[in-house]
Amino acid sequence: MSAQASPSKPKQLSTVEAFICGGIAACLAVTVSNPAEVAKTRLQLQGELAKDGAKKVYSNAIDVLSKTWKNEGIRGLQRGLGPAYAYQILLNGSRLGFYEPFRHNLNKFIGRSADQQIPLTSVIAGASSGAVGAAMGNPLFLIKARMQAYSPALPVGTQHFYKSSFDAVTTIFRAERFRGLIRGMDAAILRTSMGSSVQLPSYNFTKNQLVKRGILPANSTWTFLVSSTVSGMCVCVVMQPADTATTRMYNQPTIHGPDGRARGALYRNPIDCLWKTFKTEGVRGWYKGSTAHFLRIAPHTIITLTANDLIINLYKKAKDRTHRV
């Protein structure tokens, strides 16, 4: 009798279930945020390594969106959307799916409760899960960045034209073999680890504080929205320099060295990219496209994390109903 009276502890989703829910949430988000990503990419490449600035094609994020719409239409604003979907499934599926298992195991490793929110293990789990997703999705991010940078009307940076994602993969592989598809992976891991180290920890911390202090109820959509907004701001501030380095590493032209291998013509690695950018463009060079980045990251984070919580809650309810039948 006493066993029946005690409330059952809600079951945790499996890693596969959390991966799928996270991937669906991320795809919804990228549909909305992709135009801002196009604007961010083009602004980051504008005036690349040009001292005292080069002639500006775009003045700001809104100008990029306006000129892209005028010259390229909706197709221009949604360049790279196909690989962006696949990348988001891998990245956010990994980030949202592996974060809790990583955090729980780290907590157990140091002798603490698996469910306890510990800042250090939360940051390490966030960075680790993000690094896994970035490594898995690197070829897709590379293709997406190059597609978004391409403009037949108002080009900035090195231009790579691909008819489709498949054409991009085959073209890169023919020219540089497998090495070409993993180009910039070190920058992508740095970028995503920095963003992931604060995304979920700041989201969970904000949500827990809102509920703990009685400001908002636990399962309120407003709780998810406020927590996601704070998380998006944290990600944007922390990740921007590494994001600029990643875009430039991916998009740089390649040359063949004495050993016959293709290599980046401008940068050796993300640290080299950040240093050269700083020397020629100053700190402002690291933060080029930061407004567009926030326009991208804020709705993307809000939709991803809010949708992820809503999808998980709906899935749990549907699963419970199925078990009762």
Side-chain angles (χ1 to χ4, degrees):
M1 293 294 288
S2 60
Q4 290 178 343
S6 61
S8 60
K9 189 178 180 180
K11 288 184 178 180
Q12 294 289 329
L13 294 185
S14 70
T15 301
V16 173
E17 290 171 323
F19 185 100
I20 293 170
C21 290
I24 293 170
C27 283
L28 293 173
V30 80
T31 306
V32 176
S33 65
N34 195 63
E37 176 91 350
V38 171
K40 174 190 71 71
T41 299
R42 295 181 181 185
L43 285 169
Q44 287 173 331
L45 294 171
Q46 180 171 253
E48 184 175 13
L49 297 185
K51 203 151 191 170
D52 301 324
K55 183 181 177 182
K56 286 189 175 181
V57 176
Y58 307 108
S59 54
N60 53 53
I62 303 302
D63 188 46
V64 181
L65 295 172
S66 174
K67 286 177 178 175
T68 302
W69 170 257
K70 183 180 177 182
N71 291 289
E72 303 169 53
I74 189 67
R75 187 175 180 179
L77 291 175
Q78 291 289 15
R79 284 194 188 278
L81 186 60
Y85 279 140
Y87 175 75
Q88 288 300 328
I89 290 171
L90 282 173
L91 174 64
N92 285 291
S94 299
R95 188 154 52 184
L96 297 170
F98 296 146
Y99 172 73
E100 288 297 340
F102 283 177
R103 189 176 66 82
H104 289 170
N105 285 317
L106 285 168
N107 282 1
K108 289 176 185 176
F109 181 74
I110 62 172
R112 305 288 282 274
S113 168
D115 294 327
Q116 190 176 352
Q117 290 288 340
I118 303 168
L120 180 61
T121 58
S122 295
V123 169
I124 294 172
S128 302
S129 59
V132 171
M136 290 169 61
N138 189 77
L140 294 163
F141 199 108
L142 169 71
I143 293 165
K144 176 183 73 71
R146 290 184 176 183
M147 284 183 160
Q148 289 172 335
Y150 174 75
S151 172
L154 296 169
V156 289
T158 304
Q159 295 289 284
H160 304 270
F161 173 69
Y162 304 119
K163 295 175 185 175
S164 63
S165 298
F166 181 75
D167 178 53
V169 172
T170 54
T171 301
I172 295 168
F173 187 77
R174 275 199 306 267
E176 305 175 53
R177 314 308 291 175
F178 181 70
R179 188 183 179 94
L181 293 172
I182 61 170
R183 181 174 301 284
M185 184 183 286
D186 49 357
I189 290 174
L190 175 65
R191 168 193 179 272
T192 309
S193 296
M194 290 176 72
S196 299
S197 69
V198 296
Q199 185 188 44
L200 288 173
S202 61
Y203 175 78
N204 287 330
F205 176 79
T206 305
K207 189 167 73 167
N208 289 338
Q209 290 301 309
L210 290 171
V211 174
K212 185 178 176 182
R213 297 174 186 276
I215 300 170
L216 289 169
N219 290 321
S220 165
T221 303
W222 282 108
T223 306
F224 303 149
L225 286 171
V226 173
S227 304
S228 300
T229 302
V230 173
S231 176
M233 292 170 67
C234 292
V235 170
C236 191
V237 171
V238 171
M239 194 170 72
Q240 176 67 26
D243 187 74
T244 299
T246 303
T247 299
R248 294 185 172 191
M249 288 281 293
Y250 279 148
N251 199 64
Q252 67 175 322
T254 56
I255 56 172
H256 289 275
D259 56 359
R261 287 184 174 182
R263 61 189 64 187
L266 302 177
Y267 315 109
R268 294 191 305 274
N269 53 57
I271 305 303
D272 183 49
C273 178
L274 289 169
W275 174 243
K276 286 179 177 176
T277 300
F278 175 74
K279 280 203 302 183
T280 54
E281 304 168 59
V283 175
R284 288 184 68 180
W286 289 352
Y287 284 88
K288 276 187 175 178
S290 55
T291 303
H293 192 189
F294 183 74
L295 291 175
R296 179 249 166 195
I297 204 73
H300 187 89
T301 304
I302 289 168
I303 296 169
T304 298
L305 297 180
T306 303
N308 186 60
D309 271 343
L310 293 173
I311 290 166
I312 285 174
N313 287 338
L314 288 170
Y315 177 71
K316 284 180 177 177
K317 287 177 183 176
K319 198 175 178 183
D320 289 341
R321 281 199 298 267
T322 305
H323 286 163
R324 290 194 199 106
V325 175

